[in-house]
Amino acid sequence: MKRIRFIVILLLMVNASRSQRPSGVPEVNPTTLQKNFQNWFKYQTTNIMLSTNFDGVDMKGKPLSKDQFFQKLNSGLFIPIRLKPIDKLVYKLYKIAPKADSSIKATIMQLAFDEYEHFKMEGKPFPKFDFTDLNGNVISNETMKGKFIIIKCWYIHCTACIEEFPAVNQLAAKYKERTDMQFLSLAEDTPAQLTAFLAKKPLSYAVVPNMKTYMNQALHLNGFPTHFILDKEGKMLKIVSDYESLNTALETLLKD
C-alpha cells in the first residue's frame, strides 16, 4: 500500500512539474521565418507585443523572469516566437540563424531595448509636470490626482502616431463616461502647427504643445508613439508602443 501511495504522489509531482512549463509548439517555423527580413518584420509587428503581460521561456522551455527574458533578447542572439495553443501568451527564445539578415537582429534588439526600458519604469512616479493644453487648461500632478491618466506621446510627422488616431479616438469615446479617467497627449509641435493639423485630423485627447524637450529629457523616449497609463497616485502602471497593447492593457488593468 505504501508503495502504491508513493507512486501516485510521484506521478502527481511529475504532472505538476510539467504543467508549470508551456507545452505549446511555435506558431511559425523559426528557421523559415528568418529566411528574409520582410517575413520577420511582418511577424514582429503583428505578433510580438513585449509590452503586454506574457510569460517567457528559454530554448529548453525553462521559465524566465521578464528581466532575464529582456536581457537575453538584448544580447542579439535570440528572437522570440509565440507558442501555441494561444490560450496564454508565451514567447520562447530561438537562436538567430547564422545566415539571417542582420536587420532581423537589429530590429529585435531595438524593440527589446525600448520595451525593457519601459518595463523598468513601471511602478515609478511619472515625472513632475505642469502643462497647459491648446485650450488653456492647466494639467499638473496635483490637478490629476485621483484619476487614471492615459498619455499619448507623438508628433505630426510620425506616420504611426497619426495612423492610430481613429483607434485612440474610439478608445477615448469608450471610456468617456468615466469621470476618473483623463486622456492627454504630449506633442513635439508648436501650437500653430498643431491647430492647423488637428483641424484636418482631430484627436479626442487634450493636446499639450512644445513637449519635445520634456519627452526627451524627462521621459527618455526613443520611439513614437508611446503611451503611458498612470494610476490614481500618478505612478506608471504600463508603458506601451501601440494602440493594440494600450487597449489590452486598459481592459486588464481596469478589470482588476
Side-chain angles (χ1 to χ4, degrees), residues 6 12 18 30 36 87 141:
F6 173 77
L12 289 173
R18 287 176 178 172
N36 65 69
D87 55 346
N141 302 76

Side-chain angles (χ1 to χ4, degrees), residues 74-93:
N74 277 320
S75 72
L77 300 175
F78 305 96
I79 57 171
I81 302 292
R82 194 163 60 176
L83 297 183
K84 298 189 300 183
I86 312 175
D87 55 346
K88 185 177 184 181
L89 185 56
V90 180
Y91 292 117
K92 183 175 181 178
L93 296 176

